[in-house]
Amino acid sequence: MARRRRIYEGKAKVMYEGPEPGTLVQYFKDDATAFNNQKKGTITGKGVLNNRISEYLMLRLAEIGIPTHFVRRLNMREQLVRQVEIIPVEVVVRNIVAGSLAKRFGMEEGQALPRSIIEYYYKKDELGDPMISEEHITAFGWATPQDLDDILNLSLRINDFLLGLFLGVGLKLVDFKLEFGRLWENEEMRIVLADEISPDNCRLWDAKTNEKMDKDRFRRDLGNVAEAYQEVARRLGILPEGLPEAGPGDATGPKTMQ
Ligand code: TMP
């Protein structure tokens, strides 16, 4: 069988050459990693769920004028996206203290922040994605001050919108990570939202119980990882048909390794 050309393989996705120039096929794997690849596992059905969840969120964001790389979903595990030049900066937006912020400052998880905090990390697995400031980004030429201005404004708009969207389905958007890319159209360059938005790169807590509904279930071995992703999709009203329900055979939860 003729295989498509693989352009890039990351920890959770594979990018293939797309059907037309300037497009790529983004394939969502069930693989999960945490702590910069030190913990590895498989979350059965995750790729299908993240494909759907990310499609839904990117479409809703496009409706409010956020430019994204998303074109359309192709099948259960693949979506067509515009080929962009990924800016090697991971943008983390935080609304509630959790994760590395709690650790860094010795704070309890769960405290609402007085205002949303934006952090930048250099996207470089070999270095464990070190935290950086705007100074590093502009000095090393990863993005211009104008690019950064666009990235910051887009990130805050995305946060405002997603906070409301998730709260509407009973979920607190604690924090999340975004990636942006440069898209050229004729001579014009635009910064667009790329990668994915899913429970892999968001913290989502149940609004009533604070139960974790995201990849922290995998990172912290809390069990029922796939079930939590499924519940997020169900609340968003997009649970894919034909996805095997966690049945009696799965009573011990998803197959996570290590
Ligand atoms: P952190 O608290 O570990 O810094 O994570 C903040 C948010 O960013 C959280 O929602 C998970 C997400 N994230 C990623 O998507 N990829 C990463 O490599 C890391 C470290 C965090």
Side-chain angles (χ1 to χ4, degrees):
M1 190 175 77
R3 283 305 293 163
R4 305 173 282 192
R5 198 152 70 91
R6 196 169 60 180
I7 306 287
Y8 174 83
E9 177 150 8
K11 291 181 292 237
K13 296 187 291 297
V14 188
M15 310 299 289
Y16 294 99
E17 193 170 52
E20 307 132 43
T23 65
L24 294 176
V25 173
Q26 179 163 269
Y27 176 96
F28 288 75
K29 302 191 275 189
D30 284 348
D31 297 352
T33 67
F35 316 117
N36 199 25
N37 231 348
Q38 290 177 52
K39 181 182 170 85
K40 290 190 177 73
T42 306
I43 303 170
T44 306
K46 172 174 84 82
V48 175
L49 289 160
N50 282 356
N51 186 22
R52 266 297 167 107
I53 293 170
S54 197
E55 170 197 23
Y56 176 76
L57 297 175
M58 293 268 180
L59 286 174
R60 297 297 308 271
L61 287 166
E63 282 169 15
I64 61 153
I66 304 287
T68 85
H69 74 157
F70 182 83
V71 180
R72 64 176 179 278
R73 192 166 59 82
L74 297 170
N75 55 50
M76 294 279 273
R77 285 189 184 268
E78 294 177 331
Q79 48 184 242
L80 187 68
V81 300
R82 309 283 298 271
Q83 184 162 27
V84 300
E85 183 189 300
I86 290 287
I87 294 169
V89 173
E90 301 195 349
V91 181
V92 169
V93 185
R94 301 181 184 273
N95 300 302
I96 296 174
V97 175
S100 69
L101 182 79
K103 207 168 163 190
R104 206 176 320 129
F105 298 111
M107 295 168 102
E108 281 280 318
E109 287 199 318
Q111 191 186 323
L113 290 163
R115 65 179 182 82
S116 304
I117 291 179
I118 307 267
E119 296 171 347
Y120 302 106
Y121 295 85
Y122 180 39
K123 185 176 159 68
K124 194 82 174 169
D125 281 346
E126 304 93 283
L127 302 176
D129 296 348
M131 194 179 186
I132 51 176
S133 74
E134 297 196 0
E135 291 284 293
H136 301 105
I137 299 172
T138 52
F140 295 132
W142 297 322
T144 65
Q146 175 60 54
D147 294 341
L148 256 183
D149 205 45
D150 290 352
I151 287 169
L152 178 64
N153 285 323
L154 287 169
S155 299
L156 292 173
R157 282 175 62 201
I158 292 167
N159 185 45
D160 275 350
F161 181 75
L162 292 184
L163 268 172
L165 183 147
F166 280 117
L167 207 53
V169 298
L171 292 169
K172 289 185 200 169
L173 180 60
V174 173
D175 55 33
F176 58 100
K177 185 263 292 181
L178 300 172
E179 291 182 29
F180 293 90
R182 292 191 189 87
L183 178 64
W184 273 276
E185 276 162 326
N186 308 315
E187 298 295 288
E188 298 269 299
M189 189 278 287
R190 273 196 307 159
I191 301 285
V192 305
L193 178 65
D195 192 48
E196 67 177 288
I197 308 181
S198 72
D200 265 14
N201 44 36
C202 297
R203 284 197 175 92
L204 297 165
W205 294 356
D206 180 85
K208 286 209 187 91
T209 65
N210 280 344
E211 190 186 351
K212 298 183 198 317
M213 311 285 284
D214 55 63
K215 199 169 131 186
D216 270 349
R217 300 203 72 83
F218 169 76
R219 294 189 189 98
R220 303 179 188 193
D221 295 319
L222 300 175
N224 297 325
V225 190
E227 287 81 352
Y229 282 54
Q230 242 181 71
E231 177 62 12
V232 171
R234 193 192 65 77
R235 291 195 192 183
L236 292 172
I238 52 168
L239 190 64
E241 276 174 46
L243 191 81
E245 288 282 334
D250 273 332
T252 53
K255 289 155 202 68
T256 55
M257 285 146 40
Q258 200 189 348

